[in-house]
């Protein structure tokens, strides 16, 4: 594994940490005061900083460092996480994400923005602390281990007495004593964890005594600076149970050897059973990042905290030399250990909720490998279908065992296919989280106060769908905040909460994913839309449109109800492009809007792009597949319904309206002359402009799910053809691009699709 | 599939020789993935006449080019006796319909003569050189220009 691969893993982890960070901050923003949430946020920034330090990403490290310091203030209850504070933090999270991306892709970041946030973060940290460690923090170059800062006010010795634990008060709740052996591997430190932090967390669970085993510590000249030599024997009396103990080590469980044993005798001193010569470990020293600072000071610890502290610092000066060598990777994290012991209440709460819910174990796999597997399974499905077909064709009576075997094979292949498809499925959470950033940015720009509520973010859908969902969603969210929501003043005047709400929900419905974007704004201004449509000659001035039809007008190209062009919208990229992107994904989009109450955009999307529901049709002896989502209805044209229009056009009358007929075989150049419509079947399809076309095909074979295969990989894009698939007989069938065919039937030249990114 | 002759001496480069009509051609063996029999192809709309269509190659969609038509000769009327040379051209895999595969040749670079000065640009563009072997003339084909990228992107 070379450096670049390791770096790539780091960036992948960063992405996860950033998502964790943002969701944690949002939880806090919603009033969640769970210390575990604060810890999770802190850990996220901390891990990014640790990793970034290892790769020498200085910009990232220095920003993360200041961020972390401020978060630490929150963690230690020195800073109240108010909405204002969280606003700064959420913006900081955005900058941290930008810095991470810049570090990965080599781009640059708006320096002024990050400098300003650094100033704001420092101000926050300073606000509650007259002379906190921020001074040292600012000066600390991250590659260097910061000197221990003596902070008299911040120093709070933990009230344990290790000499006396044998005679301690009998507890009111029946606690049990656990013997814990904690032996960190060097990975623990290189992953940015710190044994001292874990021990401190452990100390919050109950009464604890620690013995540090330094037996493995070699002579200085034989020491490997990257290795971990210390281990700890801990005796912990707690009523929280073993799970709570294990939860403390949850983040380090792969990086250490951990034994948690319930001691038979609750009063047995841990020291008596220890085989080696242990060095007692003073918890209060954790505050000074010198866990190895040794026993001489121990006796004084209870009543002479000041002296102890001084002594510790001098001891730390020598001890930390060794320590710092042993913990190179943990250096960047060291100053966090200075955190004063938190209030007992918080500690008790933290212990009461042992960690986040245990995550199911996962592995990271190259997408290529998964795709290869999916391809192979697709082949298996086709082969299975071919086999079934030939068995049916060569039907020899009385071979029911073959038929039974085939049936089982069919069932198995279908199950395998489903499971393989599920591998690619991922929750929509990352996209939703990205949207909260966009809401924040637009809200800042427009001076509106907006709350984004997300629901069903764990709804799973294929990765390709998730990737392609971000662009249309971004546009719609921008629209919702910019056009949908009123200004706070207007909202108050309308008797609403000045803070607007945008609700983003995802759920599964009948094999598709339905994503809903609702705002509680003013709704669509139908008068304005109507006027605009008349101005643009989209509708006649006296047209009588239903509310729904009026709302749907906003999907027309170049349609924007914004009065003036702003940075955010009105640059001609409208809902038409959004609709096209959704349709390109095989989805549909609907609007429902109530004046004064808001609008709801509902998108229904397929769960995967690898499989498509299609209508298999025959055209000029060729088998083609028409995506089912495009088809509104199918009908058998009668001669009386067909009307010629000019030299070559033909129209079909459907319920008293006339719809142009498009001969698919002719437009694809499969035959030279138009087929007789009466001999074929018409597929009524809806085109992107909202108009309808009747596609003429020769016959319908049936409806089935097909696996989509790329044409572009070995050939090239073909106008009118979206992709290819392989049918049961092993032959390739083409999948129609209905929109392109409709466009071609209008006489438009087929041009490359405009992308949202290019136009926005 | 049997090969008429094998000439596997050490050194030099190996070429696969094939026949189209009464002419012989060869391509570098390194770009050949496999050789398979003809299966009916699905025609592509708006394709140039030499693109016969696409077939299913173990799950991948493989375009088939009629080599004869590509060179401006008489289009093939594919039968079960025709073969498809599956070749890798840059990142793409393409099938080349030919009459038959005849030989695997091992030749030294010095055996390859420069393309004779002929008038037609199209013939010259797909020939990298010619080989004279036992009185036969075998044209070394430049696969890149048989499947010109620009042309396929414009198609």
């Amino acid at each position: 594994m070379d450096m670049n691969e390791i770096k790539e893993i780091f960036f992948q982890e960063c992405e996860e940490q950033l998502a964790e960070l943002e969701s944690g901050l949002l939880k806090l923003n919603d009033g969640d005061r769970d210390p575990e949430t604060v810890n999770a946020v802190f850990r996220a920034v901390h891990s990014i900083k640790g990793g970034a330090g290892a790769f020498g990403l200085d910009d990232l490290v220095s920003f993360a460092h200041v961020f972390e310091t401020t978060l630490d203030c929150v963690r230690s209850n020195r800073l109240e996480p108010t909405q204002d504070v969280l606003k700064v933090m959420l913006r900081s999270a955005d900058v941290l994400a930008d810095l991470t991306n810049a570090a990965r892709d080599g781009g640059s970041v708006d320096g002024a923005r990050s400098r300003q946030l650094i100033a704001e973060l420092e101000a926050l940290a300073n606000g509650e602390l007259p002379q906190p460690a921020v001074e040292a923090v600012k000066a600390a170059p991250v590659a260097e281990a910061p000197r221990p800062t003596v902070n008299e006010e911040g120093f709070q010795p933990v009230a344990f007495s290790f000499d006396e634990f044998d005679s301690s008060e009998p507890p009111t709740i029946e606690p049990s004593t656990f013997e814990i052996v904690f032996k960190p591997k060097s990975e623990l430190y290189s992953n940015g964890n710190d044994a001292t932090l874990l021990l401190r967390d452990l100390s919050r669970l109950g009464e604890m005594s620690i013995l540090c085993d330094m037996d493995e510590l070699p002579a200085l000249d034989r020491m490997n600076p990257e290795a971990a030599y210390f281990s700890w024997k801990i005796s912990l009396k707690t009523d929280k149970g073993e799970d709570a103990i294990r939860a403390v080590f949850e983040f380090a469980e792969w990086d250490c050897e951990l034994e948690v044993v319930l001691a038979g005798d609750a009063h047995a001193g841990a020291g008596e059973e220890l085989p080696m010569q242990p060095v007692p470990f003073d918890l209060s020293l954790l505050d000074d990042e010198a866990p190895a600072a040794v026993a001489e000071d121990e006796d004084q610890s209870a009543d002479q905290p000041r002296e102890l502290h001084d002594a510790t610092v001098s001891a730390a000066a020598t001890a930390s030399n060794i320590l710092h060598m042993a913990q190179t990777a943990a250096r960047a994290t060291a100053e966090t250990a200075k955190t004063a012991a938190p209030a007992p209440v918080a500690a008790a709460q933290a212990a009461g909720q042992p960690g986040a819910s245990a995550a199911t174990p996962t592995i990271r796999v190259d997408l290529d490998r998964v795709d290869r597997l999916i391809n192979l399974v697709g082949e298996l499905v086709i082969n299975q279908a071919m086999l079934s077909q030939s068995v049916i064709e060569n039907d020899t009576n009385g071979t029911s065992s073959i038929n039974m075997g085939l049936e089982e094979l069919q069932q198995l292949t279908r199950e395998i296919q489903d499971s393989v498809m599920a591998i690619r499925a991922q929750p929509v959470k990352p996209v939703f989280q990205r949207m909260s950033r966009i809401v924040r940015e637009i809200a800042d720009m427009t001076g509106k106060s907006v709350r984004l509520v997300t629901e069903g973010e764990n709804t799973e859908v294929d990765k390709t769908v998730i990737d392609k969902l971000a662009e249309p969603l971004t546009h719609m969210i921008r629209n919702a905040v910019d056009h949908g929501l009123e200004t706070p003043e207007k909202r108050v005047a309308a008797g609403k909460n000045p803070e607007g709400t945008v609700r983003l929900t995802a759920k599964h419905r009948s094999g598709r994913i339905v994503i809903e974007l609702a705002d509680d704004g003013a709704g669509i201004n139908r008068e304005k839309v109507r006027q605009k449509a008349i101005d643009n000659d989209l509708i006649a001035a006296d047209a009588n449109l239903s509310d729904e039809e009026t709302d749907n007008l906003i999907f027309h190209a170049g349609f924007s109800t914004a009065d003036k062009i702003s940075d955010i919208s009105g640059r001609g990229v409208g809902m038409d492009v959004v609709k096209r992107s959704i349709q390109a994904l095989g989805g549909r989009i609907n609007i429902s809007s109530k004046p004064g109450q808001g609008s709801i955009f509902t998108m229904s999307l397929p769960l995967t792009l690898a499989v498509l529901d299609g209508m298999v049709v025959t055209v000029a002896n060729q088998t083609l597949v028409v995506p089912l989502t495009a088809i509104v209805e199918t009908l058998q044209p009668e001669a009386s319904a067909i009307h010629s229009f000019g030299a070559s056009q033909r129209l079909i009358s459907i319920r008293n309206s006339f719809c142009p007929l498009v001969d698919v075989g002719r437009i694809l150049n499969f035959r030279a002359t138009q087929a007789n419509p009466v001999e074929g079947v018409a597929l009524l399809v809806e085109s992107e402009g909202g108009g309808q076309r009747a596609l003429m095909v020769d016959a319908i074979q049936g409806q089935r799910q097909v696996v989509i295969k790329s044409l572009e990989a070995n050939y090239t894009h073909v106008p009118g053809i979206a992709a290819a698939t392989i049918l049961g007989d092993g032959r390739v069938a083409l999948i129609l691009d209905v929109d392109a065919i409709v466009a071609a039937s209008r006489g438009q030249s087929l041009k490359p699709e405009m992308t949202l990114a290019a136009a926005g | 599939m049997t090969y008429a002759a094998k000439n596997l001496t050490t050194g030099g480069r190996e070429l696969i020789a094939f026949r189209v009509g009464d002419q012989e051609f060869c391509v570098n063996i390194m770009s050949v993935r496999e050789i398979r029999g003809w299966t009916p192809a699905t025609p592509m709309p708006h394709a140039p006449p030499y693109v016969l269509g696409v077939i299913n190659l173990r799950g991948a969609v493989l375009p088939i080019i009629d080599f004869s038509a590509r060179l401006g000769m008489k289009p093939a009327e594919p039968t079960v006796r025709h073969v498809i040379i599956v070749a890798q051209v840059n990142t793409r895999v393409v099938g080349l319909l030919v009459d038959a595969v005849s030989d695997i040749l091992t030749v030294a670079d010095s055996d390859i003569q420069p393309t004779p000065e002929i008038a037609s640009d199209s013939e010259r563009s797909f020939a990298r050189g010619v080989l004279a072997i036992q009185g036969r003339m075998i044209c070394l084909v430049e696969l890149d220009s048989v499947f010109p990228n620009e042309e396929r992107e414009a198609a």
Side-chain angles (χ1 to χ4, degrees):
Chain A
M1 208 186 249
D2 64 12
M3 196 59 175
N4 279 337
E5 283 175 55
I6 299 170
K7 218 167 174 173
E8 191 45 47
I9 292 172
F10 162 66
F11 282 122
Q12 281 172 4
E13 280 168 1
C14 270
E15 245 164 57
E16 285 163 23
Q17 302 288 2
L18 286 167
E20 182 90 350
L21 169 65
E22 183 157 353
S23 74
L25 287 174
L26 289 171
K27 265 195 227 162
L28 291 174
N29 206 17
D30 290 341
D32 182 345
R33 287 291 176 269
D34 184 351
E36 189 45 48
T37 311
V38 182
N39 284 339
V41 168
F42 181 83
R43 267 195 308 268
V45 178
H46 186 74
S47 319
I48 292 174
K49 190 181 94 173
F55 291 109
L57 306 169
D58 293 339
D59 286 354
L60 188 51
V61 170
S62 47
F63 187 84
H65 184 80
V66 178
F67 195 1
E68 187 184 18
T69 311
T70 311
L71 281 170
D72 191 39
C73 294
V74 175
R75 195 168 67 150
S76 53
N77 291 333
R78 281 176 291 162
L79 178 63
E80 179 67 22
T82 58
Q83 298 272 330
D84 288 338
V85 170
L86 284 163
K87 230 177 200 166
V88 176
M89 293 198 162
L90 279 163
R91 273 164 48 218
S92 305
D94 294 346
V95 170
L96 195 63
D98 289 345
L99 285 165
T100 311
N101 288 338
R104 168 170 29 199
D105 308 328
S108 64
V109 174
D110 182 1
R113 193 165 172 219
S114 70
R115 270 194 300 280
Q116 192 210 332
L117 274 168
I118 286 180
E120 284 183 45
L121 285 170
E122 281 176 347
L124 282 179
N126 276 322
E128 299 273 330
L129 291 173
Q131 38 171 252
V134 177
E135 203 58 37
V137 152
K138 253 202 275 188
V142 178
E144 280 279 315
R147 296 257 113 214
T149 315
V150 180
N151 182 344
E152 296 173 8
E153 281 143 314
F155 175 68
Q156 294 173 6
V158 182
F160 292 142
S161 169
F162 301 114
D163 296 330
E164 296 172 309
F165 69 84
D166 274 354
S167 59
S168 60
E169 291 283 311
T172 42
I173 318 162
E174 267 303 304
S176 32
T177 302
F178 291 92
E179 301 294 343
I180 304 160
V181 178
F182 170 47
K183 192 164 189 287
K185 301 176 190 165
S186 58
E187 287 91 339
L188 183 90
Y189 300 106
S190 58
N191 284 346
N193 271 314
D194 191 339
T196 53
L197 290 178
L198 295 171
L199 292 174
R200 196 184 53 203
D201 282 351
L202 200 60
S203 74
R204 290 174 187 157
L205 296 181
E207 206 172 299
M208 172 165 103
S209 71
I210 302 182
L211 293 162
C212 181
D213 176 12
M214 301 202 294
D215 278 9
E216 282 181 44
L217 193 66
L220 199 57
D221 56 336
R222 280 190 290 132
M223 188 159 5
N224 172 4
E226 303 269 342
Y229 293 111
F230 295 110
S231 62
W232 287 273
K233 285 222 161 199
I234 303 146
S235 170
L236 176 70
K237 185 184 274 186
T238 177
D239 52 356
K240 301 293 193 297
E242 187 176 333
D243 287 349
I245 296 173
R246 293 209 178 266
V248 168
F249 294 97
E250 196 184 352
F251 299 95
E253 62 180 324
W254 305 106
D255 303 331
C256 67
E257 287 169 31
L258 183 68
E259 269 176 46
V260 183
V261 185
L262 190 63
D265 179 0
H267 287 279
E272 295 162 18
E273 298 164 3
L274 295 177
M276 59 286 237
Q277 302 235 309
V279 181
F281 180 80
D282 190 329
L283 252 194
S284 65
L285 297 183
L286 290 179
D287 288 349
D288 285 298
E289 65 152 356
V294 273
E296 302 96 25
D297 301 316
E298 189 189 32
D299 292 346
Q300 308 164 0
S301 63
D303 45 14
Q304 287 172 306
R306 280 286 293 277
E307 275 179 49
L308 161 73
H309 191 254
D310 292 342
T312 308
V313 170
S314 60
T318 48
S320 64
N321 278 340
I322 303 169
L323 249 186
H324 286 149
M325 285 175 72
Q327 302 183 354
T328 3
R331 274 180 180 175
T333 76
E335 76 275 16
T336 61
K338 287 198 294 279
T339 318
V345 181
Q349 278 175 358
Q353 289 158 344
S357 58
T360 26
T362 53
I363 56 165
R364 228 188 271 276
V365 185
D366 250 0
L367 205 53
D368 285 353
R369 292 192 191 180
V370 176
D371 284 348
R372 203 163 63 214
L373 182 62
I374 289 175
N375 255 338
L376 286 174
V377 172
E379 271 305 282
L380 180 68
V381 172
I382 291 161
N383 271 357
Q384 178 267 325
M386 287 164 71
L387 193 60
S388 301
Q389 190 130 17
S390 38
V391 168
I392 292 165
E393 277 165 13
N394 303 317
D395 189 20
T396 45
N397 285 327
T399 52
S400 62
S401 64
I402 292 180
N403 288 329
M404 265 172 62
L406 266 179
E407 230 162 76
E408 258 169 53
L409 180 67
Q410 195 173 355
Q411 208 145 4
L412 264 177
T413 40
R414 197 170 304 155
E415 252 174 63
I416 293 172
Q417 193 177 23
D418 285 350
S419 329
V420 166
M421 290 295 178
I423 295 178
R424 285 185 59 110
Q426 288 192 335
V428 292
K429 196 171 179 179
V431 181
F432 276 24
Q433 266 169 356
R434 228 190 298 174
M435 294 309 132
S436 66
R437 171 179 186 164
I438 286 152
V439 167
R440 279 199 297 282
E441 283 176 355
I442 305 293
D444 277 357
M445 267 193 244
T446 54
K448 290 172 183 172
S449 172
V450 189
R451 200 160 67 97
L452 178 73
V453 181
T454 55
E455 280 167 31
E457 50 189 19
N458 288 324
T459 311
E460 288 191 336
V461 59
D462 191 84
K463 195 175 181 320
T464 48
V465 178
I466 292 180
D467 292 347
K468 294 193 175 161
L469 201 56
E471 279 184 1
L473 259 189
T474 306
H475 276 257
M476 288 167 66
I477 291 252
R478 282 166 163 257
N479 276 340
V481 178
D482 194 27
H483 302 317
L485 294 179
E486 316 92 323
T487 55
E489 302 83 60
K490 276 190 190 165
R491 290 183 66 87
V492 172
K496 293 192 204 173
N497 184 340
E499 187 186 53
T501 306
V502 174
R503 187 178 295 273
L504 191 56
T505 38
K507 55 180 177 254
H508 282 149
R509 199 159 63 198
S510 59
R512 290 172 79 78
I513 182 171
V514 177
I515 293 178
E516 224 175 67
L517 178 71
D519 66 68
D520 64 349
I524 289 171
N525 186 337
R526 297 203 172 107
E527 276 309 301
K528 212 163 161 184
V529 170
R530 200 186 148 82
Q531 193 52 52
K532 188 107 181 178
I534 294 169
D535 293 350
N536 288 0
D537 282 338
L538 283 171
I539 54 170
D542 55 354
N544 188 9
L545 273 78
S546 69
D547 286 351
E548 204 187 329
E549 284 169 323
T550 312
D551 291 347
N552 272 301
L553 286 173
I554 68 165
F555 288 123
H556 277 88
F559 208 94
S560 172
T561 50
D563 291 325
K564 56 180 194 303
I565 289 168
S566 68
D567 272 356
I568 304 152
S569 49
R571 281 196 232 159
V573 181
M575 293 301 289
D576 59 321
V577 185
V578 169
K579 184 168 187 178
R580 213 169 325 144
S581 326
I582 297 289
Q583 282 178 336
L585 275 171
R588 284 166 176 277
I589 180 165
N590 282 310
I591 320 175
S592 80
S593 177
K594 279 189 185 154
Q597 290 179 34
S599 322
I600 301 173
F601 290 84
T602 312
M603 285 158 277
S604 156
L605 295 161
L607 290 179
T608 169
L609 292 186
V611 174
L612 171 123
D613 276 313
M615 184 82 84
V616 182
V617 299
T618 313
V619 175
N621 293 326
Q622 296 301 319
T623 304
L624 294 171
V625 179
V626 186
L628 217 51
T629 48
I631 301 175
V632 181
E633 63 176 290
T634 61
L635 43 113
Q636 197 92 45
E638 285 174 25
S640 59
I642 310 283
H643 307 274
S644 289
F645 192 78
S648 61
Q649 279 294 321
R650 286 180 200 191
L651 303 177
I652 181 168
S653 65
I654 302 163
R655 291 181 289 275
N656 284 330
S657 70
F658 294 97
C659 179
L661 274 178
V662 179
D663 182 0
V664 176
R666 181 72 197 92
I667 212 154
L668 292 182
N669 231 358
F670 283 162
R671 54 181 160 225
T673 53
Q674 283 199 19
N676 183 0
V678 186
E679 287 165 9
V681 183
L683 309 175
L684 198 61
V685 296
E686 200 169 70
S687 75
E688 55 181 86
Q692 292 185 331
R693 287 287 186 285
L695 298 188
M696 289 304 309
V697 300
D698 297 352
I700 290 178
Q701 293 183 15
Q703 197 177 312
R704 56 171 294 183
Q705 256 194 0
V706 297
V707 178
I708 298 175
K709 298 281 179 184
S710 159
L711 262 183
E712 279 93 336
N714 290 326
Y715 189 54
T716 177
H717 176 73
V718 181
I721 302 298
T725 187
I726 293 160
L727 293 178
D729 58 5
R731 292 196 53 176
V732 178
L734 302 176
I735 300 172
L736 284 192
D737 180 345
V738 171
D739 280 349
I741 284 181
V742 170
S745 77
R746 283 202 199 111
Q748 289 178 5
S749 65
L750 292 156
K751 53 175 187 259
E753 260 199 13
M754 176 167 55
T755 64
L756 287 164
Chain B
M1 196 90 12
T2 56
Y3 305 121
K6 282 198 175 184
N7 184 10
L8 288 171
T9 52
T10 50
R13 68 166 84 190
E14 283 185 279
L15 305 168
I16 285 197
F18 54 89
R19 208 163 37 70
V20 174
D22 56 358
Q23 300 188 21
E24 278 195 285
F25 301 88
C26 60
V27 292
N28 191 330
I29 203 166
M30 295 312 289
S31 49
V32 175
R33 288 290 119 121
E34 66 182 274
I35 294 166
R36 49 179 293 145
W38 161 254
T39 43
T42 303
M44 301 295 297
H46 309 295
Y50 58 82
V51 174
L52 290 171
V54 289
I55 63 164
N56 163 27
L57 180 76
R58 285 183 305 283
V61 176
L62 183 81
I64 303 297
I65 301 218
D66 178 352
F67 188 69
S68 175
R70 180 69 185 99
L71 300 190
M73 303 189 292
K74 196 165 74 79
E77 278 160 22
T79 64
V80 283
R81 299 171 69 93
H82 281 77
V83 292
I84 292 167
I85 298 176
V86 179
Q88 176 102 32
V89 185
N90 299 323
T91 58
R92 294 173 174 182
V93 183
V94 196
L96 205 57
L97 181 82
V98 300
D99 287 356
V101 170
S102 51
D103 253 334
I104 295 180
L105 310 168
T106 305
V107 297
D109 283 356
S110 55
D111 294 343
I112 303 170
Q113 305 174 14
T115 312
E117 292 193 16
I118 40 174
S120 164
D121 277 345
S122 75
E123 264 93 5
R124 217 167 24 207
S125 71
F126 63 76
R128 191 184 281 175
V130 290
L131 295 161
I133 291 175
Q134 295 160 4
R136 298 183 288 167
M137 190 199 74
I138 303 176
C139 172
L140 177 58
V141 173
E142 174 76 81
L143 279 175
D144 279 354
S145 51
V146 175
F147 318 108
N149 271 322
E150 310 79 356
E151 193 167 341
R152 275 186 302 123
E153 268 153 29

